[in-house]
Amino acid sequence: MLRVSIDERANWKRKAEEFGFKFHTMHGEAYWDESAYYQFSLEQIEQDLEQPTEDIHQMCLAVVDKVVKSEELLEKFQIPQHFWQQIADSWKQQDPSLYSRLDFAYHGQGPVKLYENNADTPTSLYESGFWQWLWLEEQVNAGKIAKQADQFNSLQEKLVQRLGAIGKHYNINQMHFACCQDTDEDRGTVQYLQDCAKESGLSDDFVFIEDIGLAECGSFSDLQNNKIQTLFKLYPWEFMQREEFGQSIERAQVNWLEPIWKSILSNKALMPMLWKLFPNHPNLLPAYFEDELAKATETKLVKKPIFSREGANISVIENGKTVLHADGPYGQEGFIYQAYYPLPKFGNNHTLIGSWLVNDQAAGISVREDSSAITQDMSRYLPHIIL
Amino acid sequence: MQSNKTKRSQSINLASMRKSFSVKPLALGVTAILLSACGDKQEATVFTSVDECTNANPEFAEKCKTAYEDAVQEAERTGPKYNSQRDCESEFGNNQCRVVQQGSSSFFMPFMAGYMLSNLMSPRGYYSQPMFTSYSRYSPYRNRWIGADGYDFGDQRRRNMRVSEKALKPKPTVSKTMSRGGFGSSVRAKSNWGSSSKKGGWGG
């Protein structure tokens, strides 16, 4: 695993415009950064990243299977009681899932360590599945990167395939897609999935989360009053379950993507549960619920809210003292504690690997850098190659 | 142990990933009709009355009439519905809406402005669907032919067009939408919080 400097493509910003990649620069700061790339060996990819990704996914599913059957655990996961039955039903029916992203700390050797599972609303999908793919294609054609270079990135191919399979599963030829207003990044991510859906033969309609309507018959509707039958929502289940229309979810009979059973995975309570079910697994960090903190022997711990996004409200605690803290709006549902395990540093950059799953198959990686040890929403995205 | 296959997508259709046409979404429907000459498009004509259809196709007078009746029914089933006359009129213009009773509830719908007919002469049967238009200065639908689902078929002065078969399929019904905005409140609450959500996305 190396960080290699390279010239940017001279025309990449114009290209970005042409392909509708609008969020490469956010708030005046670069998000997409092609002044360097990360280089992995095939062995690093296949043994250290690909295989553990699929193994961890299976371990996560074992957690879901345990939690849906236990009221005590559902409470620990802060899932409102109203949804317990729906989640259990969705799990029992094996409602199909589309994708997830596991966040890893990886030092180029030894086992990756799982930080968390973004199983419900992962972003950086477009830049991973398409934009870094195009970057490699063009840098190879320009002779800047060796011809035999490859990339761990079959995301787009697998997404198209999976969306087609989900269409067959539900016997549908159309899907609705939704995200919140006023965010180029989320809209871009959802547009990408619409493109993949189109490629798979489905027709696609878009509605903003805030514009979703509730019809007399109990269905959810889009702005044209069309019934929402299948909905990909880039909007967290834990929000939806606590909002006004949450009570109408069951009656609306929507085919949800992600399915509601994923509420259990996109939840930091997953981490202590994994540690309980698979203690001392090489890819896991010791993790504890708040009420079992006495068991922790580590002197340095990371405190994470049960629900949070992009590093918000995370603190690093050393011998009981907070030594690093990221602010944010989360935390009222409680916290979990995870053994501190640093990200590798390349120069001044802390580097985080996102490892993608489409359903249960490992589908590629994304690399993000942050100047802080806590990867936040202003981290930069760098492409990678296999050589 | 190591596989010989490449680890990345074999090929990606770059043309289908280009987005530069979507800069002006209003023109999208029209552009799509003009640019695409693919096999799934077919000729369609908009008529504003049964007489207009019959004059153009005297030998199909009966079909003109039943197609019109189909479209009227379809308009009531699938057309845009509003809780208030004001909402409806702000989209379609003053005096362009009527009250409709369905079951125990009533709501407001724009008048059907015409009907689109395709395959009138085909032995396999014709397609018809209701067309709406707007006289409101504030609406993007002003002087456009609009399908029940809000699809923009182009300038109201144009009567003949080529449309995809999909555009002629019946739209799914939803009864009157009672309320909107029941999702998204957590975002408003957490966005107000400030600096750490400066990027504003809700994925992770």
Side-chain angles (χ1 to χ4, degrees):
Chain A
M1 183 180 179
L2 304 166
R3 188 183 195 278
V4 185
S5 294
I6 187 172
D7 289 338
E8 297 185 5
R9 291 165 295 166
N11 61 348
W12 75 262
K13 286 197 177 164
R14 199 170 44 85
K15 276 247 144 87
E17 179 126 340
E18 183 185 329
F19 284 100
F21 181 26
K22 292 182 184 157
F23 51 99
H24 56 74
T25 306
M26 285 188 273
H27 308 281
E29 289 178 56
Y31 165 62
W32 168 259
D33 179 357
E34 60 173 76
S35 65
Y37 60 86
Y38 280 83
Q39 179 176 326
F40 298 83
S41 69
L42 186 58
E43 199 182 0
Q44 286 174 329
I45 292 290
E46 293 194 329
Q47 289 174 24
D48 294 349
L49 291 162
E50 186 174 28
Q51 191 56 51
T53 296
E54 296 191 353
D55 294 347
I56 290 169
H57 181 70
Q58 291 306 319
M59 288 155 56
C60 290
L61 296 184
V63 170
V64 177
D65 198 52
K66 200 167 169 73
V67 174
V68 292
K69 292 170 187 155
S70 157
E71 297 192 354
E72 190 198 336
L73 289 172
L74 285 160
E75 239 158 57
K76 274 208 136 117
F77 276 64
Q78 297 293 327
I79 291 169
Q81 192 175 351
H82 181 82
F83 296 94
W84 292 357
Q85 193 58 47
Q86 291 176 59
I87 290 173
D89 292 345
S90 154
W91 174 246
K92 206 169 150 205
Q93 285 158 218
Q94 293 289 297
D95 287 346
S97 103
L98 180 61
Y99 75 137
S100 315
R101 193 192 73 226
L102 305 178
D103 281 347
F104 286 148
Y106 179 52
H107 291 253
Q109 54 185 352
V112 295
K113 299 288 185 185
L114 177 68
Y115 274 178
E116 59 190 58
N117 186 351
N118 295 283
D120 187 16
T121 59
T123 51
S124 74
L125 186 69
Y126 175 80
E127 19 329 5
S128 300
F130 177 68
W131 192 248
Q132 72 168 343
W133 186 95
L134 186 67
W135 167 86
L136 177 61
E137 195 84 351
E138 297 190 339
Q139 292 292 41
V140 166
N141 289 341
K144 297 280 170 74
I145 287 178
K147 254 201 190 76
Q148 67 272 27
D150 197 2
Q151 194 171 67
F152 182 28
N153 177 17
S154 54
L155 255 179
Q156 183 156 338
E157 213 164 73
K158 289 200 164 76
L159 286 169
V160 171
Q161 214 171 31
R162 182 65 183 159
L163 284 162
I166 290 171
K168 281 213 180 70
H169 175 92
Y170 287 123
N171 193 22
I172 47 169
N173 51 24
Q174 178 274 351
M175 276 187 197
H176 274 88
F177 293 81
C179 69
C180 286
Q181 292 164 358
D182 304 321
T183 145
D184 278 349
E185 188 193 13
D186 286 6
R187 186 67 191 91
T189 303
V190 169
Q191 182 59 53
Y192 181 54
L193 283 167
Q194 289 176 249
D195 291 345
C196 290
K198 248 186 251 152
E199 197 76 22
S200 80
L202 293 162
S203 68
D204 59 299
D205 292 282
F206 179 81
V207 60
F208 283 115
I209 290 284
E210 295 91 336
D211 286 339
I212 290 174
L214 180 61
E216 233 167 2
C217 59
S219 300
F220 289 131
S221 63
D222 66 13
L223 272 182
Q224 285 79 43
N225 283 334
N226 289 320
K227 178 180 173 167
I228 296 178
Q229 192 182 6
T230 305
L231 182 64
F232 173 89
K233 39 129 218 101
L234 193 66
Y235 192 66
W237 269 118
E238 73 261 19
F239 288 179
M240 291 174 53
Q241 288 164 355
R242 287 164 174 79
E243 291 173 351
E244 187 193 333
F245 281 180
Q247 300 301 309
S248 307
I249 288 171
E250 188 169 19
R251 206 180 147 217
Q253 294 282 320
V254 173
N255 306 319
W256 294 101
L257 288 176
E258 297 295 324
I260 195 169
W261 61 260
K262 278 205 152 180
S263 317
I264 293 169
L265 294 183
S266 62
N267 184 312
K268 303 292 188 301
L270 172 70
M271 307 315 296
M273 269 314 287
L274 278 171
W275 188 248
K276 270 192 226 291
L277 289 191
F278 305 94
N280 303 310
H281 188 283
N283 296 126
L284 296 178
L285 294 167
Y288 310 93
F289 284 108
E290 212 150 22
D291 59 6
E292 46 182 38
L293 200 51
K295 280 197 274 178
T297 53
E298 294 77 14
T299 54
K300 207 168 177 183
L301 290 165
V302 179
K303 181 183 177 187
K304 297 179 171 181
I306 294 232
F307 300 122
S308 78
R309 291 277 172 293
E310 307 266 15
N313 296 92
I314 284 177
S315 333
V316 180
I317 294 167
E318 196 165 3
N319 295 317
K321 278 197 198 119
T322 302
V323 292
L324 188 63
H325 176 71
D327 281 336
Y330 300 96
Q332 66 254 42
E333 287 88 7
F335 295 84
I336 61 104
Y337 295 79
Q338 193 176 44
Y340 178 81
Y341 184 83
L343 287 172
K345 277 188 84 176
F346 291 82
N348 289 322
N349 307 299
H350 303 260
T351 304
L352 179 78
I353 309 280
S355 185
W356 293 94
L357 282 145
V358 174
N359 187 24
D360 55 2
Q361 293 185 306
I365 54 168
S366 45
V367 181
R368 286 195 299 165
E369 285 184 346
D370 203 297
S371 50
S372 158
I374 302 174
T375 301
Q376 295 213 45
D377 55 4
M378 288 313 288
S379 60
R380 283 164 295 109
Y381 189 108
L382 280 80
H384 79 275
I385 68 167
I386 307 172
L387 197 63
Chain B
M1 164 106 208
Q2 289 179 356
S3 62
N4 294 317
K5 273 183 22 192
T6 66
K7 309 291 288 183
R8 67 182 192 279
S9 298
Q10 298 294 305
S11 67
I12 286 178
N13 179 355
L14 291 185
S16 73
M17 297 301 292
R18 288 208 167 82
K19 292 287 175 301
S20 42
F21 63 83
S22 70
V23 175
K24 289 180 193 156
L26 237 183
L28 227 172
V30 186
T31 316
I33 287 169
L34 293 179
L35 288 184
S36 176
C38 309
D40 66 336
K41 301 259 160 166
Q42 50 187 296
E43 302 286 345
T45 310
V46 177
F47 299 105
T48 54
S49 67
V50 178
D51 283 350
E52 206 181 88
C53 176
T54 312
N55 287 341
N57 307 280
E59 69 277 34
F60 294 112
E62 192 54 34
K63 277 189 180 175
C64 281
K65 189 160 163 282
T66 47
Y68 169 79
E69 283 158 6
D70 291 350
V72 168
Q73 265 186 15
E74 194 65 4
E76 192 139 319
R77 189 177 74 83
T78 61
K81 300 178 179 69
Y82 296 85
N83 277 323
S84 74
Q85 183 162 6
R86 220 185 80 197
D87 287 354
C88 185
E89 290 194 342
S90 76
E91 190 69 82
F92 291 93
N94 287 339
N95 306 316
Q96 296 302 318
C97 296
R98 63 191 176 113
V99 189
V100 175
Q101 284 282 341
Q102 265 185 12
S104 60
S105 56
S106 66
F107 42 88
F108 294 85
M109 294 185 71
F111 292 110
M112 188 173 97
Y115 61 118
M116 176 185 277
L117 254 174
S118 179
N119 284 349
L120 189 61
M121 290 164 234
S122 160
R124 287 187 302 143
Y126 57 85
Y127 292 107
S128 83
Q129 66 167 323
M131 288 285 114
F132 302 91
T133 193
S134 169
Y135 298 92
S136 164
R137 242 181 301 163
Y138 311 106
S139 172
Y141 298 156
R142 181 175 166 82
N143 298 331
R144 320 282 301 172
W145 288 123
I146 302 299
D149 59 350
Y151 187 84
D152 186 335
F153 286 95
D155 193 293
Q156 199 201 13
R157 285 166 301 189
R158 274 183 63 210
R159 295 298 188 83
N160 296 306
M161 49 196 90
R162 293 177 64 79
V163 297
S164 75
E165 263 185 63
K166 190 188 141 207
L168 295 164
K169 295 248 167 70
K171 310 295 183 283
T173 329
V174 146
S175 56
K176 180 179 160 191
T177 293
M178 304 297 286
S179 62
R180 295 196 189 277
F183 284 130
S185 56
S186 308
V187 165
R188 284 191 293 281
K190 297 202 195 285
S191 300
N192 289 340
W193 187 86
S195 66
S196 106
S197 51
K198 58 195 164 194
K199 199 172 66 174
W202 295 99

